[in-house]
Amino acid sequence: MKKFLGLILTAFLVLALAACGGGNNEGGENADDKESADTAEKKTIRAGIGLNDSHPQYKGLLKFKEIVEEKTDGQIVVETYHSGQLGDDRTMTEALQLGSQEVVIPSTAPLANFVPEFSVFDFPFLFPSEEVADKVLDGEVGQKFLDKLEDQNLIGLSYWENGFRQVSNSERAIASAADFKGLKLRTMENDLHLEAFRALGANPTPMAFTELFTAMQQGTVDGQENPFATIYLSKFYEVQDHVSNTNHIYSPFVFLMSKTFYDGLTEEQQQIVREASVEAGVYERQLNREANEQYLQDLQAEGVTYTEIAPEQHAEMKELVQPVIDKYADKIGKDTVQEVYDAIEAASKE
Ligand code: TK8
């Protein structure tokens, strides 16, 4: 009998201690649970880009940060990194897949290493203008490509603008296709870019953006191709003497988020980050376009020689790269490519 009473007493004491030991407050969750709940609710987005903090892309990222932190009342904090502090486009995209980073905004060219269909946006001379590019990328066709990212543990939230790409180099003025002959040009890590510049007679080398300035400084490459904004704001005029309006590709950026991270957000938070990436993208595009002409003038003021390419020379360049476009249209799928062509035609008529 005594033993039984002892067991009852022990059980009572254990229950009493459990109630006190849990630090239960009167009628509410305990302090530890509240602390852990608050901590669990707070999320951090590590957002990285390759360009430096003077580029419209970084100003757009700061706008994204401002909107998200305000609309989530600080429950989501955005840490912004520029100048390749977290790596280049390709390594940062891999970091999203691994969960060690939450946002990166790469060019479509390196993204084609993850989803090959994205190479269509790097077809030379595809988009006739920024306005047409906006309509196609922000419409049904653009969304179809973003949807393809989910199998790679990536969420494509919106398109931003890198811009029309121009060739710069330290050797000679480029006024025609013939002037590309033998030029050591850095390209983004994208096979289509490599083959297109080979077709123009250049000697292309794929390279991460983070290595580019040093490669030009050391003469490893003679030149590169990027929008005027990047050429000026990355101070390429310090190592480049010539620039031409090749306008050979309109390059979009894609605002990527880790799918693992996105899926861990509440529905409300998902809507906030989605809308913030779109609003910040519109802002970034505007900044990028407003100063485009000014960037070219600034390059000339820094001593860079500008060579205007005549329409017939653009036509000759397009003819030389057409076999590369045809090859990649087959690889990507003629139906997919035709959808893009049809969307461009429709957008051009609006
Ligand atoms: C910066 C790159 C850059 C791109 C390139 O991270 O690699 O030349 O045009 O803007 O995305």
Side-chain angles (χ1 to χ4, degrees):
M1 181 60 174
K2 275 185 182 177
K3 196 172 180 183
F4 179 67
L5 285 175
L7 281 174
I8 296 290
L9 182 60
T10 306
F12 173 75
L13 283 172
V14 168
L15 284 174
L17 280 172
C20 297
N24 278 321
N25 301 327
E26 192 61 36
E29 62 183 355
N30 66 42
D32 291 349
D33 288 349
K34 188 166 183 344
E35 173 63 27
S36 62
D38 280 352
T39 311
E41 278 165 16
K42 275 200 191 308
K43 298 181 176 75
T44 299
I45 289 176
R46 293 160 293 185
I49 61 171
L51 295 173
N52 66 37
D53 55 355
S54 65
H55 195 282
Q57 191 188 35
Y58 188 69
K59 296 181 170 66
L61 188 53
L62 292 177
K63 173 68 76 175
F64 172 78
K65 170 185 173 68
E66 175 194 322
I67 297 167
V68 168
E69 291 181 351
E70 184 189 328
K71 287 195 172 178
T72 64
D73 195 22
Q75 290 307 306
I76 298 182
V77 172
V78 181
E79 294 174 356
T80 58
Y81 299 91
H82 56 81
S83 306
Q85 293 165 316
L86 298 184
D88 58 71
D89 286 3
R90 191 167 178 166
T91 53
M92 288 193 278
T93 303
E94 288 163 353
L96 262 60
Q97 292 180 308
L98 296 169
S100 56
Q101 187 177 328
E102 288 69 42
V103 161
V104 63
I105 315 173
S107 301
T108 47
L111 194 54
N113 294 291
F114 299 83
V115 178
E117 292 90 336
F118 270 93
S119 266
V120 69
F121 295 132
D122 284 85
F123 281 8
F125 307 107
L126 178 78
F127 287 117
S129 68
E130 292 104 340
E131 291 70 26
V132 168
D134 291 354
K135 287 174 186 168
V136 173
L137 295 170
D138 296 348
E140 194 180 313
V141 166
Q143 185 56 50
K144 273 190 174 181
F145 282 81
L146 297 181
D147 293 344
K148 296 174 191 290
L149 291 160
E150 295 204 16
D151 291 344
Q152 297 298 322
N153 193 31
L154 300 167
I155 297 280
L157 290 178
S158 62
Y159 291 94
W160 290 19
E161 177 171 276
N162 197 346
F164 277 100
R165 307 182 73 87
Q166 321 294 352
V167 173
S168 71
N169 80 92
S170 58
E171 292 300 306
R172 63 182 91 104
I174 292 180
S176 68
D179 296 326
F180 280 98
K181 189 158 181 50
L183 210 57
K184 294 184 295 181
L185 273 186
R186 172 268 181 178
T187 70
M188 292 188 278
E189 295 163 298
N190 176 293
D191 292 342
L192 185 151
H193 277 247
L194 274 174
E195 292 182 42
F197 280 104
R198 279 198 196 105
L200 287 169
N203 175 13
T205 304
M207 185 185 296
F209 184 78
T210 46
E211 297 160 25
L212 176 53
F213 189 93
T214 304
M216 293 188 290
Q217 201 170 35
Q218 294 175 348
T220 312
V221 294
D222 301 322
Q224 61 84 51
E225 41 86 52
N226 253 293
F228 291 134
T230 298
I231 299 172
Y232 178 70
L233 297 170
S234 303
K235 297 188 177 2
F236 288 173
Y237 50 80
E238 293 178 355
V239 290
Q240 300 281 270
D241 304 315
H242 297 275
V243 70
S244 301
N245 67 324
T246 48
N247 272 328
H248 53 282
I249 288 172
Y250 172 85
S251 192
F253 284 131
V254 181
F255 189 107
L256 295 178
M257 182 168 280
S258 158
K259 186 175 184 304
T260 304
F261 178 79
Y262 181 82
D263 290 347
L265 299 177
T266 64
E267 271 188 36
E268 185 195 8
Q269 290 171 334
Q270 288 178 349
Q271 187 174 350
I272 289 171
V273 297
R274 189 173 288 277
E275 289 174 356
S277 81
V278 171
E279 184 178 340
V282 169
Y283 171 69
E284 186 267 346
R285 283 169 171 172
Q286 183 191 342
L287 287 182
N288 213 40
R289 287 167 199 175
E290 274 170 1
N292 205 35
E293 279 310 308
Q294 185 58 47
Y295 290 133
L296 175 54
Q297 290 166 22
D298 293 343
L299 283 168
Q300 291 172 287
E302 293 291 345
V304 176
T305 303
Y306 170 60
T307 302
E308 179 94 16
I309 293 185
E312 59 273 19
Q313 293 305 333
H314 270 123
E316 185 188 352
M317 287 177 191
K318 189 168 183 186
E319 202 177 308
L320 286 167
V321 299
Q322 192 57 50
V324 178
I325 294 172
D326 296 342
K327 172 184 173 184
Y328 278 82
D330 283 341
K331 283 178 80 168
I332 291 167
K334 286 191 180 304
D335 292 349
T336 301
V337 172
Q338 193 54 52
E339 264 194 280
V340 175
Y341 288 156
D342 292 347
I344 288 171
E345 187 183 352
S348 302
K349 287 174 181 166
E350 285 175 13

